[in-house]
């Protein structure tokens, strides 16, 4: 995992963790000419903007994610993205399962490997601060591998 490439951030709903991961990674990887996007395993929030709590923690850190729109992962993502970074083991399992039906080359990995970034949806604002920190660490980890 040492070469820059297009990155897809994936969580369950694509409204809390992966929009934040997209924003943080876009911000950190400005020197690379790569595409960064995010998607959810599930479709139930498709078309919606990120959760307000994610928008707020991003804004607190100088990043605007308010224009993002949730979408579900699709099979062509496995051809368009070199790396698919997932937030937890359940995402990993779900994405691997989809992936196994298609001939594709994406590398699928936990963003903050070997740690998980837990779903903050039913928690409070503190949970989003923890998620932000873990996402930040995970993005740093990836970029350090690219140097
Ligand atoms: P995300 O968080 O996967 O980080 O976007 C969630 C958002 C919504 C739900 C679960 C997780 N939900 O069950 O509606």
């Amino acid at each position: 995992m040492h070469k820059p490439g297009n990155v897809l951030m994936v969580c369950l709903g694509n409204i809390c963790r992966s929009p934040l991961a997209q924003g943080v990674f876009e911000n950190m990887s400005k020197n690379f000419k790569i595409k960064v996007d995010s998607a959810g395993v599930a479709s139930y929030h498709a078309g919606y903007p990120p959760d307000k709590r994610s928008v707020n923690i991003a804004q607190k850190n100088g990043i605007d994610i308010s224009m993002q729109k949730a979408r579900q992962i699709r099979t062509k993502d496995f051809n368009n993205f070199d790396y698919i970074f997932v937030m937890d083991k359940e995402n990993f399992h779900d994405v691997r399962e989809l992936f196994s039906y298609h001939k594709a080359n994406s590398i699928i990995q936990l963003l903050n490997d070997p740690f998980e970034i837990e779903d903050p949806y039913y928690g409070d604002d503190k949970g989003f601060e923890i998620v932000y920190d873990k996402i930040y660490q995970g993005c740093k980890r990836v970029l350090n591998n690219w140097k």
Side-chain angles (χ1 to χ4, degrees):
M1 214 201 44
H2 299 293
K3 270 193 176 158
N6 294 337
V7 165
L8 183 69
M9 300 292 185
V10 173
C11 62
L12 178 59
N14 193 210
I15 55 163
C16 297
R17 292 166 291 176
S18 57
L20 202 45
Q22 178 185 339
V24 170
F25 201 77
E26 275 170 351
N27 196 45
M28 266 188 207
S29 65
K30 279 182 186 144
N31 293 336
F32 296 105
K33 288 194 166 51
I34 56 161
K35 180 166 65 176
V36 184
D37 197 6
S38 64
V41 168
S43 66
Y44 33 73
H45 298 289
Y48 283 84
D51 188 288
K52 198 82 191 102
R53 295 165 295 177
S54 286
V55 173
N56 289 344
I57 190 79
Q59 193 174 36
K60 227 168 126 179
N61 289 279
I63 298 169
D64 182 11
I65 63 166
S66 62
M67 79 303 285
Q68 290 187 31
K69 289 263 178 297
R71 71 167 177 89
Q72 190 174 25
I73 191 168
R74 41 188 178 244
T75 53
K76 72 175 184 200
D77 289 329
F78 296 121
N79 301 314
N80 293 341
F81 293 94
D82 304 287
Y83 301 101
I84 297 179
F85 293 117
V86 295
M87 304 299 133
D88 61 33
K89 288 179 180 161
E90 199 178 312
N91 306 151
F92 186 84
H93 177 264
D94 290 342
V95 172
R96 286 294 317 184
E97 196 163 88
L98 266 177
F99 181 80
S100 66
Y101 294 111
H102 302 275
K103 268 210 161 99
N105 298 314
S106 312
I107 292 168
I108 304 165
Q109 217 181 52
L110 282 171
L111 176 64
N112 198 25
D113 191 41
F115 308 108
E116 296 188 90
I117 303 172
E118 287 95 5
D119 177 359
Y121 188 63
Y122 293 105
D124 56 14
D125 289 349
K126 178 76 191 148
F128 281 74
E129 284 176 22
I130 293 167
V131 160
Y132 179 86
D133 289 343
K134 289 182 174 175
I135 284 173
Y136 185 91
Q137 292 305 324
C139 293
K140 276 267 174 244
R141 179 191 76 81
V142 173
L143 286 167
N144 284 339
N145 279 330
W146 285 1
K147 275 182 192 153

